[in-house]
Amino acid sequence: MEWIDACVPRRAGLLGELDDVRRHVADAALALRRALQAEWVSVAADGYRAEVEQHLRLLRSRAVAIDALESWIRSAETARAAVAPERVW
Amino acid sequence: MSGDRARGLEIIGGAAGTAARLADLDRCAAALRSGAASLDQAWRALGRIWWTLDEWGTVRLTGPMLPAARLAREARAIVGAVRSGPHGVLALSRSLSESADHVASARGRYAEAESLASKLWLSLGPVVVPGLWHTSQLGFGVADGVESTWRLAEWDLGGDIPADWLEKVVDRVARVSPVASPGLRPLGDDAVPWVAGGLAGLATAPGPREVRALPVIGSRRTATPPRNVTDLVTDLTGLTGPRGAVVEITQLPRADGTSSWVVAIPGTQDWSVGHDDPLDLASNLQAMGGQTADSTRAVLAAMAAAGIGPHEPVVLAGHSQGGLVASQIAALGGYAVGAVLTVGSPTGSSATAATVPTLSLEHESDVVPALDGRAPSDDPRRTTVRGRAPREARRSFSRSHGTREYAELAEQVDASDHESVAHWRETVDELLGDGEAGTTRAYRLQRLETAR
């Protein structure tokens, strides 16, 4: 199961902030799925459904981008941790 | 739906009614706004990451920290794009908010149209035609009197008496009833339950009355499951006549070992009070007055005798008083009633509000559904279909109310593709499953004389 459809645990540091981002995006995805389940009986319902499904597709593509952030942030954190602060200041 | 109009059907409420549409639109808009709010929070969390990386990337560094700072700056650029780029989280949040605004705007237009319709009705109310009619003791205006004369003349010439006019008459009569309105107590806009409840108190002895349901020997037969509204109304047709207070309960076995059930409840069998038939006038008054009717308790006894489990799906179909009983049983709980069909029943008052998906059939010339004194409301749980009785039945009060005549309206309903009707049909299909055959058994309802 992708994290966008699941409960996201939180880590420490900057990766923990990224976990928060994931949690909020997962909440947004849940809200969009709720919006799709609302039984809107109308001639305009098909258009509405297509629009919400498009939002959901975009959100899933953002999830992929957020996953890509993970490696960038991890690299930045690792590189910073490798250099002890006392050697800089 | 245009085919419905051509057939003379007026369909009010249900899953496609205005109230349902407004509630759906509210839910959709709320879900989209909730999604936008979550993305706003994601945008803020990304901001915290961006500021940290910015700090790591811009700090004055020398020597060994230089590669780390460069990495931080690159990561910051990526975070910035995901956060606020043209396809970023912020843009998506704004897009969701715009969608929510569109939905809310559509909701506003629906509500405005409804409000305009209400204002038009109110403005038509005080029309006065002077000097022709005096029925002030019934609370009628002069225009009402003229309308009454006109309607009766139309009926005498073979026309219909529209149900909306009858509802108005019943409501006005109820408002001035001394039973309902001792002194000058205002009754709000739903006077009939007050009157019915008061009359029920006068017609019945105080205290609980014992009722029972006995299986009719030899009544067990194999039955095919009802597959449409016509089948359900036809089942009710078989209960009218000299059989007295008899309900039929059909058990439809399911693959998982449980059963679905259909309970067919006839209308009033005894138009007096104080006898052993619980489907009588007193029960009518009790049900319309919001009290648990003796007939309702007797049908519950029959359901218990049939062995209906508390979690097994039940469809209730009732004609006339049977429809009131069905509505009461659905509201009382205790059984998993999933759908109700009422045929020619006065179920429009607050005392018999629909609690499960309910389909109500009414003939324009049938006076009984008008006895609630209320026009059918746009209720998402209740779909009301009003149509014309067969031509030869329109001038007969009894035939306009008859189940055989309602079976023709049921056929028209089965041919309808209106969303509200389709939604009710789908609910019943889901409840009954696709079993091939079941067993029907009749139960005679009795009020015990000794308890009176």
Side-chain angles (χ1 to χ4, degrees):
Chain A
M1 182 186 289
E2 290 182 38
W3 60 263
I4 198 170
D5 298 319
C7 181
V8 182
R10 194 185 195 285
R11 291 166 290 182
L14 219 47
L15 289 173
E17 294 283 9
L18 192 64
D19 289 337
D20 281 346
V21 173
R22 285 189 165 115
R23 186 163 51 83
H24 295 313
V25 170
D27 286 346
L30 181 65
L32 285 179
R33 288 198 295 273
R34 256 197 337 263
L36 275 177
Q37 282 171 354
E39 291 181 4
W40 185 13
V41 182
S42 163
V43 287
D46 288 345
Y48 164 82
R49 184 168 290 276
E51 189 171 320
V52 176
E53 281 171 351
Q54 171 67 6
H55 287 319
L56 204 48
R57 272 195 297 276
L58 281 172
L59 195 60
R60 288 186 184 282
S61 72
R62 292 304 87 195
V64 174
I66 288 166
D67 281 341
L69 278 183
E70 168 105 12
S71 61
W72 280 100
I73 292 172
R74 191 186 295 278
S75 300
E77 270 194 332
T78 306
R80 186 174 167 81
V83 188
E86 58 272 21
R87 290 173 61 187
V88 178
W89 304 106
Chain B
M1 275 176 263
S2 56
D4 294 331
R5 279 196 291 274
R7 285 189 290 271
L9 297 186
E10 182 190 5
I11 300 177
I12 302 148
T18 303
R21 286 172 197 267
L22 292 179
D24 282 346
L25 290 170
D26 285 339
R27 278 194 292 274
C28 292
L32 289 170
R33 289 201 198 290
S34 164
S38 294
L39 288 181
D40 282 345
Q41 287 184 298
W43 180 76
R44 287 194 195 92
L46 282 166
R48 290 193 291 274
I49 297 173
W50 190 92
W51 283 110
T52 304
L53 291 171
D54 186 61
E55 185 188 332
W56 291 359
T58 55
V59 71
R60 189 181 299 168
L61 299 168
T62 57
M65 280 301 281
L66 202 55
R70 189 181 302 122
L71 261 176
R73 282 198 294 274
E74 287 173 356
R76 185 192 62 183
I78 304 288
V79 169
V82 172
R83 183 178 181 242
S84 303
H87 301 295
V89 168
L90 183 62
L92 192 51
S93 165
R94 286 178 178 161
S95 183
L96 290 191
S97 291
E98 281 174 16
S99 293
D101 289 344
H102 291 155
V103 173
S105 169
R107 190 237 190 267
R109 285 197 294 275
Y110 270 125
E112 195 178 356
E114 282 297 291
S115 169
L116 180 62
S118 301
K119 283 175 186 163
L120 279 173
W121 279 112
L122 286 173
S123 68
L124 288 174
V127 170
V128 172
V129 180
L132 289 176
W133 197 266
H134 300 283
T135 51
S136 57
Q137 71 275 22
L138 288 182
F140 281 86
V142 175
D144 296 318
V146 173
E147 185 187 3
S148 304
T149 309
W150 179 251
R151 296 296 187 197
L152 288 169
E154 273 191 333
W155 180 68
D156 200 38
L157 292 171
D160 291 339
I161 294 186
D164 55 354
W165 174 74
L166 284 166
E167 282 150 358
K168 191 161 67 175
V169 171
V170 169
D171 183 61
R172 296 287 173 86
V173 171
R175 280 167 190 279
V176 298
S177 161
V179 174
S181 178
L184 293 171
R185 186 179 55 193
L187 289 173
D189 63 349
D190 199 7
V192 169
W194 281 95
V195 180
L199 289 173
L202 295 176
T204 56
R209 291 157 295 281
E210 195 176 342
V211 292
R212 68 180 178 186
L214 301 172
V216 177
I217 305 300
S219 66
R220 185 187 291 271
R221 59 184 164 82
T222 302
T224 53
R227 287 298 172 216
N228 48 37
V229 181
T230 307
D231 284 353
L232 287 167
V233 175
T234 303
D235 286 347
L236 292 170
T237 302
L239 294 176
T240 57
R243 298 176 68 184
V246 170
V247 296
E248 282 191 343
I249 300 181
T250 300
Q251 180 178 16
L252 302 166
R254 296 160 69 100
D256 63 0
T258 63
S259 295
S260 302
W261 301 81
V262 180
V263 182
I265 311 163
T268 304
Q269 304 295 307
D270 181 351
W271 283 98
S272 63
V273 295
H275 298 115
D276 66 344
D277 188 337
L279 278 165
D280 65 353
L281 179 61
S283 288
N284 264 326
L285 295 170
Q286 288 170 336
M288 291 186 69
Q291 303 163 13
T292 304
D294 290 352
S295 51
T296 298
R297 294 191 296 114
V299 174
L300 284 169
M303 292 169 71
I308 300 178
H311 303 298
E312 293 182 319
V314 179
V315 174
L316 300 173
H319 171 235
S320 195
Q321 183 184 153
L324 293 173
V325 169
S327 299
Q328 281 206 324
I329 290 173
L332 283 170
Y335 287 101
V337 177
V340 167
L341 170 69
T342 72
V343 180
S345 303
T347 50
S349 80
S350 57
T352 48
T355 52
V356 299
T358 298
L359 179 66
S360 295
L361 308 189
E362 299 182 0
H363 280 150
E364 290 174 4
S365 50
D366 184 358
V367 299
V368 177
L371 292 176
D372 53 28
R374 302 273 297 225
S377 61
D378 184 358
D379 177 350
R381 290 201 185 92
R382 183 190 302 281
T383 301
T384 304
V385 181
R386 268 185 173 173
R388 305 187 83 182
R391 181 174 294 278
E392 64 279 9
R394 287 178 200 160
R395 293 195 63 221
S396 160
F397 285 128
S398 61
R399 291 191 65 191
S400 284
H401 188 54
T403 48
R404 285 183 204 287
E405 287 71 18
Y406 268 111
E408 289 194 25
L409 179 58
E411 286 175 13
Q412 294 177 44
V413 172
D414 283 326
S416 169
D417 60 355
H418 192 282
E419 289 99 331
S420 293
V421 173
H423 183 267
W424 187 87
R425 273 198 301 255
E426 285 164 13
T427 302
V428 173
D429 285 346
E430 197 174 319
L431 291 167
L432 298 185
D434 53 0
E436 290 300 314
T439 308
T440 295
R441 190 160 197 187
Y443 293 82
R444 182 170 302 283
L445 312 181
Q446 281 187 333
R447 183 193 283 123
L448 299 187
E449 294 281 354
T450 51
R452 289 188 53 80

